[in-house]
Amino acid sequence: QTGGYGLIMRPFGMYADYVQSVDFIFADPDGSGKPGKRTVRRDAADAEERELFFALIGGSPGNLGVMTHVTTRVLKDADHPNARGLKLMTVYSKDKLKALLDIMVEQIKNPPAADYCYSVMVLGAQFVGGDCHADANDDIDRWMRENHPTQYPPDGELKIRYVPVIAVTGFFGNLGGASQEYDASVLAPIKEICTPVPAFVAKTLSFFKIIGD
């Protein structure tokens, strides 16, 4: 179970806000020793049913029963024709990260419309003494040795190195519909900072970026 946190949460809320009903199976509801099936609804007239509904979509990791079906209210593209999405990835540097976080701090102080959301993530290797640490992720190391032995030999000096990157996402939800215009100036500073990842990096793994010597 999860609340459904995501990149469009600021304008549209969590996924849990859209769940309308849940079908689930639970053990021995009436003392007969047999499992029972039940459907609970968000708008149920019975208070106990509503309480059980919110218990099921809360933070508990499935200890109330086994969900089999979930009915949700969907968002329609036609209701948000001017919505925009932005996803950028750039090679990490302290200056870039600071500049991107400065934008975030400014938006906290002077929030744009609720339609806009913005996130910054640093992805890639750990650092030791300023250099990429080859053993930053044992699982990646193991997978690379098995699948790319010519570039990642079991023994000897590694022929690759991790490249840390900054992943940035921005979103305009267009809650006001067709009559609401998109203000490009809100996300423009982000695009100016995020110089594109070089092609030879972009062609490699999507999260743990790898380049040859």
Side-chain angles (χ1 to χ4, degrees), residues 68-131:
T68 59
H69 295 83
V70 176
T71 302
T72 62
R73 176 171 60 87
V74 299
L75 296 170
K76 298 180 180 180
D77 286 344
D79 294 335
H80 312 279
N82 297 324
R84 298 288 189 277
L86 171 72
K87 182 178 181 181
L88 299 171
M89 189 172 289
T90 186
V91 175
Y92 170 86
S93 77
K94 290 183 179 179
D95 290 340
K96 286 182 185 177
L97 180 59
K98 182 181 184 304
L100 290 168
L101 294 180
D102 284 345
I103 294 174
M104 185 171 290
V105 170
E106 180 60 29
Q107 290 189 359
I108 293 173
K109 293 179 178 178
N110 301 289
D115 303 68
Y116 294 89
C117 52
Y118 169 47
S119 70
V120 179
M121 295 171 283
V122 178
L123 308 171
Q126 297 175 359
F127 285 83
V128 176
D131 295 325

Side-chain angles (χ1 to χ4, degrees), residues 104-181:
M104 185 171 290
V105 170
E106 180 60 29
Q107 290 189 359
I108 293 173
K109 293 179 178 178
N110 301 289
D115 303 68
Y116 294 89
C117 52
Y118 169 47
S119 70
V120 179
M121 295 171 283
V122 178
L123 308 171
Q126 297 175 359
F127 285 83
V128 176
D131 295 325
C132 291
H133 183 29
D135 294 323
N137 189 300
D138 291 339
D139 291 336
I140 291 293
D141 289 342
R142 188 180 307 110
W143 187 90
M144 287 298 295
R145 287 191 174 99
E146 293 174 355
N147 293 277
H148 299 280
T150 58
Q151 286 194 302
Y152 210 131
D155 302 309
E157 184 177 353
L158 298 178
K159 296 181 181 180
I160 60 173
R161 60 187 175 89
Y162 294 107
V163 176
V165 296
I166 304 172
V168 179
T169 59
F171 186 76
F172 168 63
N174 188 212
L175 296 178
S179 62
Q180 181 187 21
E181 296 183 358

Side-chain angles (χ1 to χ4, degrees), residues 86 88 96 100 103 185 187-196:
L86 171 72
L88 299 171
K96 286 182 185 177
L100 290 168
I103 294 174
S185 66
L187 300 179
I190 302 169
K191 298 172 69 174
E192 293 176 2
I193 296 169
C194 290
T195 54

